[in-house]
Amino acid sequence: MSGAESARTYGNLIGGEWRAARSGETFDSVNPARRSEVLGHFARSSQSDIEDAVSAAVAAQPAWARTPMPGRSEVIARAGRLLEERKEELARLMTREMGKVLTEARGDVQEGIDMAKYMAGQGRNPVGEVVPSELRDKRCFTERVPIGVVACITPWNFPMAIPCWKLMPALLAGNAVVFKPAEDTPLVAIRLAEILVEAGLPSGVLNLVTGYGEECGAPLVENSLVRAISFTGSVEVGQQIASTCGRLGKRVSLELGGKNAMVVTADADLELALDGALWGAFGTAGQRCTATSRLIVEAPVLEAFTEQLLGRVSKLRLGDGLDPATDVGPVINQTQLKRIHAYTEIGLQEAARLLTGGSIAADGQLGEGNFYRPTLFADVKPEMRIAQEEIFGPTLVVIPAVDFSDAIRIANGTRYGLSLSIYTRDLARAFQAVDRLESGIVYVNAPTIGAEIQLPFGGTKWTGNGHREAGTTAFDEFTEWKTVYIDYSGHLQRAQIDTDAS
Ligand code: NAD
């Protein structure tokens, strides 16, 4: 597909129809590796488009909820097969729309496929429990029921995986969804919506509205007919959404930022840790919520490890993610490019030692895109801003630790709690770390990235609000529990009073 062919105008999906925004306005999605390449023009939606989408969802939800769950899961299964058939095409589109290298884009689509298969299987699993009653001739059970209309608001860094993590369990549970993808990746989102429609989702069960956060995300959160918000994105926006939901009495689940660390102990396999650090820090140009952005290294191996790391980082090749020779692709947009560079300046002001990178790459073709040189800082102190704040770019900071306990203390010492990892050959150290690291996800002898969809995903502290996506916990986000008591004794029985035990 050439850029010229794809630069058409795309609408919102509302009640089964693709329509322009009511204002008629559009915005563009561009290739971050080549800003002159426009992938398409997209509906710039606002409040009235949100109202249309929510009305369509409200109308469609009851019939969808009455469709037996195995029937709903068939639609998810078919969507998974379509994703599988189109994996390569979707991965290439993703690389063009948000820049990650093709191998990683394939992995992103694969997460969607895995989630579809997993959720399709869940469609025939139990949805509750039968619990003994304290009274005779009385049956008690629980069941999960849909919430109603839910909103899914997603970021650009996993444009297929994150929407699939949300949409598939939300739809399987019998909800209707209004999906608001990130403004940087509307086309991948549209391709996913098309697939779900093609797989047999009835009109109005999934509605997709493209546009900017403040213009259409905020009215979606405010809409009184939307009963729950599933949000993945920045802490700033997440906290704003949570406060609106608190005021309006809505359910909200938040998956926010991270400042993930990898601890390298003195007894670690250093080669293994080097491979992990490189993949964890510079995969997706560091734009993963689970990216390794702090490396905490015990004193005895600090110098040797940093030196070897520098050798490897300085050899990373920047370029277009479609080029198989590229190790690190572009960052998403110019705003983010400038923000990453601002953090380099902050690091220098804080007297951290810049070992490599630290600049915008503008030579030759790189100047046509948003490229930042893989950056490594040494002599970083745990309290520095570059060691505390999420940079979301290809910047890795090395923090010395005097010993194991110091390393754990530093790892836990940020406001985030998404993913922490430790490299050690000592079994006791590994388990002590599992016990003491304060994060939703802990890895041993692996970097901070690499989540699998059949396990719960999410973070503690400012990273989240206690929900977990993926795994069976995904349903906690998208269902209500209903508790049912059936008394067939034919007379009044009083719980806690008329029991055989009393
Ligand atoms: P962002 O918060 O700027 O945007 C996320 C989404 O929210 C977008 O769709 C955006 O349009 C929308 N939005 C913006 N303002 C809004 C508002 N006022 N009301 C409603 N919606 C609004 O985040 P981003 O830049 O797209 O993504 C990067 C961030 O996401 C990073 O902080 C990263 O760590 C985080 N993230 C977290 C996870 C996780 O699972 N914990 C996964 C991926 C990314």
Side-chain angles (χ1 to χ4, degrees), residues 154-157 180 183 217 231-234 255-257 289 390 457:
T154 56
W156 45 266
N157 65 334
K180 202 315 256 167
E183 46 271 44
F231 174 80
T232 299
S234 60
E255 291 294 341
L256 311 177
C289 53
E390 185 183 50
F457 181 94

Side-chain angles (χ1 to χ4, degrees), residues 122 124-128 144:
Q122 294 291 323
R124 287 175 190 267
N125 272 354
V127 291
R144 290 180 183 274

